[in-house]
Amino acid sequence: MQISFNTKKLQRGITLIEVSVGLIIAAVVAAAAFIAFQNNSRRNEVQSNTQSITETVAELKQKFGRTNLFNSLTTTQAIAASAISPNLASSATAATNSYNGAISVGNGGLAAGDNSSAVMVWGNVPKAQCVDLLLAVESGAVAINVAAAGTGDPTAAPTGTAVKTTTSAFSAATASGTTACGGTARSYDLIFTLAKA
């Protein structure tokens, strides 16, 4: 008679190490999905604002530039003429973009009778989207300035850092520099100078 003392037990289930590896893989996949979602959300926001700026610039040039009315242009008039989309108008006298920033237009401090240009301020653009938005819309303006959020005034000469002027092309390096979109502020006003169509 033979007696066997086999003390090994048959294990069933998964070990703690296997559970840990599974959790780590799930965390990596979730982090990648979150980053992709954030990038997609940012890209959609830039595209939406690019479209709104492009349409507004075209409407302002069409309705006020071609009829020599840039000098008397106000935000109220632009809203009334639907040059600023009704979707952006928060009242009969004010408009707001998707960044919760003011959209305002004016004559840029031109002398009486000078209808050569107008100024549009697109307020509160987040630092992370500033350069992307400028790159997408710079062709629609003859000059662009970047200023601290809340300081853009369409009734005065543009202030802030010039990233495009009537005599120099758009500069992505200047736009991303520390005096423009790359500064310490969390958001900026984009100040577009528009010429007649």
Side-chain angles (χ1 to χ4, degrees), residues 102-113:
I103 302 167
S104 52
V105 295
N107 65 9
L110 294 174

Side-chain angles (χ1 to χ4, degrees), residues 24 38 40 42 57 62 70 76 82 101 103-104 107 117 122-123 141 144 148 158 163 166 169 172 181-182 186:
I24 290 170
Q38 275 188 322
N40 191 43
R42 184 175 137 282
V57 166
Q62 174 71 29
F70 270 164
T76 303
S82 294
I103 302 167
S104 52
N107 65 9
S117 63
W122 202 264
I144 304 172
V163 296
T166 55
C181 298
R186 293 180 60 146

Side-chain angles (χ1 to χ4, degrees), residues 57-78:
V57 166
E59 290 292 319
L60 289 169
K61 288 179 179 181
Q62 174 71 29
K63 294 178 178 174
F64 294 93
R66 287 191 179 164
T67 55
N68 289 323
L69 295 173
F70 270 164
N71 195 277
S72 60
L73 180 60
T74 66
T75 303
T76 303
Q77 290 174 327

